[in-house]
Amino acid sequence: MAVRGGIWGIFLLIMVASAIWQVTSGSARIDGDVLSLIGLEKTDDTARKSDIETVRDLLANDANQAIIMVSANQQDMLETATRALASDIANIPGTKSVSMPGYDAGNLARLSDFYLPHAQSLLSDRDRALLRDGNGEPVYQNAVKTLYAPASMVSAASLRADPFSLLPNFLAELGNKLGPSGIVQRDNNFYTPILIILTPDLRRQGRDIAWVGKVNDVITNAQNNTNQSDGLTIAKTGQVFFAVAEATAAKADVQRIAIIATLGIFAMVLSVFFSPLPLIGTLITVGSGLIAGIAAVTLIFDGIHAIALVFGASLIGISVDYALHYLVLPADEKSPTARIATIRSGLSLGLLTSVCGFAVLAISPAILLAQIAVYSIAGLIAAYVTVLFVLPLLPARSIKHRSLIPRVYQKLDDTLRRLRLPRLVRGMAALAILGGFAICILFIPTDDDIRHLGHGNDTLTTQAGLIGDTMGMGGNPVFIRIDGADSQSRLQTGEAVQNALRPLIKDGTVGSAFGLSDMIPSIKRQDENRTLIKDQLFEIYAPKLAPLLPINIQTPNPDAPYLHADADAFVQFPELANLRDGTTDIVRLNAVTDANAVAMAIANIDAARLINPRATITDQFSHYRNWATVGLAIALLSAGILAIARYGMIRGLCVLGTPAGAMLVALGGAATIGITINFFTIMALFLVFAIGADYVIFFSESQKHRQQDTTRFAVFLSLISSILAFGLLASSSVPVVSAIGTIMAIGLPTAWVLSYAMCPTSVKADQSDV
Amino acid sequence: MTHRWSKAWALILFCAAVFPAFPVNADTTGLTSTAMLTPISDQQYLTGSFALDRHLDGFEAPLTSTGEFTLSPSKGLIWQNLKPFPDTTVMNDQGITRKHDDRTFETIASGARFHQFIALISAVLGGNWDPLSDQFTITPAKTATASNWQVTLAPKNNNGLSEQISQIIVKGDEFVTHVTLHKPSGDRDEITLNDQKRHDLPLPTDLAKLLSGNFD
């Protein structure tokens, strides 16, 4: 026994070292961003990315951007404050670049150089419409006036390539499609954005919290150093701010819950045993579970998600059951080996049932589910091994029956032992429970909307809304995905999409739409433009324009090279990479007020589809919920087979009916107080199932070793510890964590009561299975 | 790809070059106090005629236009081409607007940013070179006199101006009389200003309507 305990102790130390190294070296970090865990699943179609993969890629790109909007009631003050703020932010480690669309000159020279050789293949929508209508006069007049305009950008080079000055109109329209920016005046205030690009490794290295802290300091300093009369206000938005806020809130919750739960369990154990030794045993068991869980997750994955961490903290509630099951055994003359033998079968069956349940999650395609499963399985196995190998090494201590908890327990136990139902009734009740649970899980309302999951941050949400409303930037991105085997077909579809969206842009339903085809028109479009320019401009107006120009106007060359969305274009404009993802082109939409109208507008374009990332991710969580529900059903089925094999049909059904009944009551109770079912509440049901199954299995197994009294007390102590841990989750500020806690707080006491009702043979007063 | 402010920059350059009234308070830049001009206040406006010769690299003959202008430091600028084609361009806080022959108007560019160039002109007309010194290196000619001076403006490298302009040379006496805008392409605009007069506000009704954005 001592040797096995020693070896296991060494294993635990190795796991501690591994976990500490993984976390402190940055190899594995805590991630609070829900989006970072989704969309990593493998898909069968390797050529075409799924919506969620495309959403993840786009959001990952957006995650490296942040927007700060500065406003003031004087433009001079606005410029001074904006430049100072941008300079300070540029100096923060983790900032890759900072730009001020309101004050930067832009990329005119780069764009002109790129487009000028193709000027006679490019037309603005307005000029194209005029030429298509055979009305080239306004285009010609504009060309003439541009020659003499005070701020004209014409040059010798531009006139040679573009004598009708068509390119400036194309470029101006391109700018409008990119959406509003610069400086906006509204209600006597002026607003301008600062666009920040973060270094790609900022979040991966866990430096995002420090970066956000420094940005907040810079903003505070700017506001403190300004007179209130200047009306300076600063708003910020970006995934990095939301992710850090969520992670901070989640970590604070985890710390609070873990500390209070741990102290509560300490107090409980000390008050029952009046000795620190059982407490040490409990600590070792719980600690080994947590260590093994963290070590396993950090070894397998790049990091631990905050949600998995919360579940990990909850693991205390399960692993402490195993320790208590051993510690409450009477400290009589039996050897430790003999004492452990009396609970081994119960522990083993309980562990097996729980591992079966979590194993179903481990094979799911979702990283989040896999992390939770690995954490739970590794933690439970470690706790189990610790109870078997380490706890017997500690001197046994007896329960002090006159202390408060044993006395309270005795009264409750006396009451519950009167719950004696005939065997057939129990069997019927179990069947009814199982049927009711199946119906409930199928028909109870669900809500997978990701907006309802997080802690939320009203300030950030308000600021994001203000920036979106004022500048048409940030906020929930909406885009149209265009699929097609070849680049040209996608570009043509992109042009069809722009045509379809034009009325919506005009009436303000869509602020702006920008896709690859706006930068690189399709060859078909370029051919059309060439024909229009030649037929409607050159042939009619070149003779009139020629005397005004100091150059010979050349008729457009029909064999001139086309503008292509090729590697050269992507090298010159790396931003274009955000508009193409494999065989999918992206049209980004800004300030969409009616997504349904957009979907309707493009409904007839087969290769184009509106993608709302929020809806897509919500669908993904719906998929996870379905997966977890199926997993729960499989876990129940597995547990049922195990129970029937072990206890026979009726008793097996009764054993299965206990956790199922607990889940049924938890579902009903949660629904009554307004908690809807989502992936996370299903996960909470998993925990209710695992712990509830432990209770009834411990009850059932105890009679084999005549340990019914001590087992029932151990289960009672387990219940208290679980309520301490999971009940506190209900107090979390994160809605999803609170929902989990509520499910647990309802489900676990129900499982405890049902264990009495469904397993009367474990009750000392009723030895016969009637 | 924020090129949409290029016209604004072009206007700022143009206006900064054409209306840099003179170094009355030139201490901050080292310019000597050679100006004969009393700065135009917000309660005044300036009128005059212009001749713009646009020299394109490699071509002998320039593109020449002539017309009249009106500048109000507090309202904006009206640039009226008379020859070879009549054309009116209005630049104010809200942007650039072109008046067509059929009396319709077309917004060439819009946005609160255009406050910047109006503010720039006003500051310069007030004899304050500070706004220009943020964007330009300002060098007075050593041979300048109080009645015949010259200033060279070179865009600083830390902004986008240098992509569009390489140098501006401004000459004048009581008013600005001649401006040369050299562009990186080798092209240049030669602007000659004449008949400049200072007036007290209010503006004539038709000009006031144009500058206030009332195009009805």
Side-chain angles (χ1 to χ4, degrees), chain A residues 75 102 107 147 171 181 551, chain B residues 1 3-4 54 59 113 115:
Chain A
Q75 284 224 51
N107 297 331
L147 291 173
L171 292 177
S181 64
I551 59 168
Chain B
M1 291 182 218
H3 72 279
R4 52 195 166 284
R54 182 157 284 154
F59 304 124
R113 182 193 172 94
H115 161 85

Side-chain angles (χ1 to χ4, degrees), chain B residues 32-135:
Chain B
T32 53
S33 298
T34 56
M36 299 167 68
L37 173 70
T38 302
I40 299 173
S41 74
D42 281 356
Q43 300 307 311
Q44 295 178 313
Y45 66 97
L46 188 68
T47 61
S49 60
F50 68 85
L52 168 60
D53 292 325
R54 182 157 284 154
H55 294 266
L56 302 179
D57 188 38
F59 304 124
E60 288 184 10
L63 296 168
T64 300
S65 58
T66 57
E68 295 172 348
F69 71 88
T70 301
L71 172 70
S72 163
S74 59
K75 305 285 186 182
L77 171 68
I78 301 170
W79 191 264
Q80 293 177 290
N81 268 333
L82 299 175
K83 292 181 180 178
F85 300 99
D87 179 38
T88 301
T89 303
V90 179
M91 296 167 251
N92 57 18
D93 265 8
Q94 282 72 49
I96 313 171
T97 306
R98 179 180 284 170
K99 181 184 175 188
H100 292 300
D101 299 340
D102 60 1
R103 305 186 67 80
T104 59
F105 290 86
E106 178 188 5
T107 300
I108 306 296
S110 62
R113 182 193 172 94
F114 289 90
H115 161 85
Q116 192 177 358
F117 85 85
I118 295 297
L120 201 60
I121 301 166
S122 303
V124 172
L125 289 173
N128 179 10
W129 287 90
D130 281 348
L132 284 178
S133 64
D134 283 345
Q135 307 288 348

Side-chain angles (χ1 to χ4, degrees), chain A residues 1-2 4-6 8 340 384-393:
Chain A
M1 183 68 78
R4 284 184 294 184
W8 177 239
I340 203 78
Y384 170 80
V385 174
T386 300
V387 170
L388 292 189
F389 295 166
V390 179
L391 294 199
L393 301 177

Side-chain angles (χ1 to χ4, degrees), chain A residues 31-376:
Chain A
D31 192 344
D33 186 1
V34 172
L35 301 180
S36 65
L37 279 175
I38 62 171
L40 297 174
E41 298 81 355
K42 300 287 183 191
T43 54
D44 296 332
D45 187 352
T46 53
R48 179 177 161 174
K49 290 190 174 183
S50 65
D51 285 352
I52 191 70
E53 285 177 292
T54 306
V55 165
R56 187 200 62 219
D57 290 349
L58 283 168
L59 294 183
N61 180 264
D62 288 354
N64 287 332
Q65 299 171 7
I67 302 169
I68 288 180
M69 183 178 75
V70 188
S71 69
N73 52 27
Q74 296 292 328
Q75 284 224 51
D76 296 338
M77 171 64 206
L78 180 71
E79 180 171 357
T80 303
T82 303
R83 289 188 184 280
L85 199 58
S87 173
D88 289 345
I89 291 171
N91 291 327
I92 296 175
T95 302
K96 184 180 178 185
S97 65
V98 172
S99 60
M100 297 174 288
Y103 304 103
D104 294 339
N107 297 331
L108 180 68
R110 194 162 60 114
L111 285 164
S112 293
D113 290 347
F114 179 73
Y115 283 116
L116 197 56
H118 306 280
Q120 293 182 13
S121 301
L122 304 170
L123 281 173
S124 66
D125 290 342
R126 176 181 175 275
D127 287 350
R128 184 165 45 254
L130 287 168
L131 297 182
R132 208 159 40 204
D133 293 343
N135 184 14
E137 182 66 24
V139 182
Y140 162 72
Q141 289 290 340
N142 180 68
V144 171
K145 289 174 180 174
T146 299
L147 291 173
Y148 304 101
S152 170
M153 292 181 289
V154 297
S155 66
S158 72
L159 284 177
R160 284 192 188 95
D162 182 25
F164 283 92
S165 294
L166 300 168
L167 186 57
N169 290 343
F170 174 83
L171 292 177
E173 195 172 86
L174 194 61
N176 291 334
K177 286 176 180 173
L178 278 167
S181 64
I183 302 172
V184 170
Q185 182 179 8
R186 181 181 287 186
D187 300 333
N188 297 323
N189 272 310
F190 297 93
Y191 301 81
T192 194
I194 299 173
L195 305 184
I196 305 161
I197 304 295
L198 311 175
T199 54
D201 57 355
L202 184 72
R203 297 192 61 206
R204 197 170 59 245
Q205 294 181 354
R207 294 187 289 127
D208 48 352
I209 294 176
W211 186 86
V212 168
K214 286 177 180 169
V215 168
N216 289 337
D217 291 344
V218 165
I219 290 173
T220 304
N221 287 340
Q223 289 170 328
N224 291 341
N225 294 334
T226 309
N227 293 330
Q228 283 193 338
S229 59
D230 293 324
L232 181 76
T233 60
I234 300 170
K236 59 181 185 287
T237 191
Q239 283 186 38
V240 66
F241 296 116
F242 283 96
V244 167
E246 286 292 339
T248 304
K251 273 197 277 193
D253 274 356
V254 167
Q255 286 170 356
R256 178 173 57 83
I257 291 167
I259 289 171
I260 297 176
T262 306
L263 289 176
I265 291 168
F266 285 0
M268 180 191 75
V269 174
L270 282 172
S271 71
V272 169
F273 295 97
F274 282 34
S275 167
L277 283 176
L279 184 59
I280 292 169
T282 307
L283 272 178
I284 293 171
T285 307
V286 173
S288 64
L290 290 175
I291 288 164
I294 292 172
V297 173
T298 54
L299 199 63
I300 296 171
F301 304 100
D302 293 335
I304 311 173
H305 196 272
I307 294 169
L309 199 64
V310 169
F311 272 92
S314 306
L315 193 66
I316 295 170
I318 304 179
S319 60
V320 79
D321 293 359
Y322 299 171
L324 291 170
H325 203 44
Y326 173 81
L327 292 169
V328 298
L329 292 173
D332 53 19
E333 68 283 359
K334 283 182 182 175
S335 70
T337 307
R339 293 173 72 225
I340 203 78
T342 62
I343 62 164
R344 182 181 285 120
S345 61
L347 279 183
S348 302
L349 197 57
L351 175 70
L352 185 62
T353 307
S354 298
V355 167
C356 280
F358 289 122
V360 177
L361 297 180
I363 58 172
S364 80
I367 296 292
L368 178 61
L369 297 185
Q371 280 194 4
I372 292 169
V374 168
Y375 201 130
S376 305

Side-chain angles (χ1 to χ4, degrees), chain A residues 537-548:
Chain A
L537 272 181
F538 276 83
E539 292 189 357
I540 301 172
Y541 296 102
K544 293 171 70 175
L545 184 64
L548 304 175

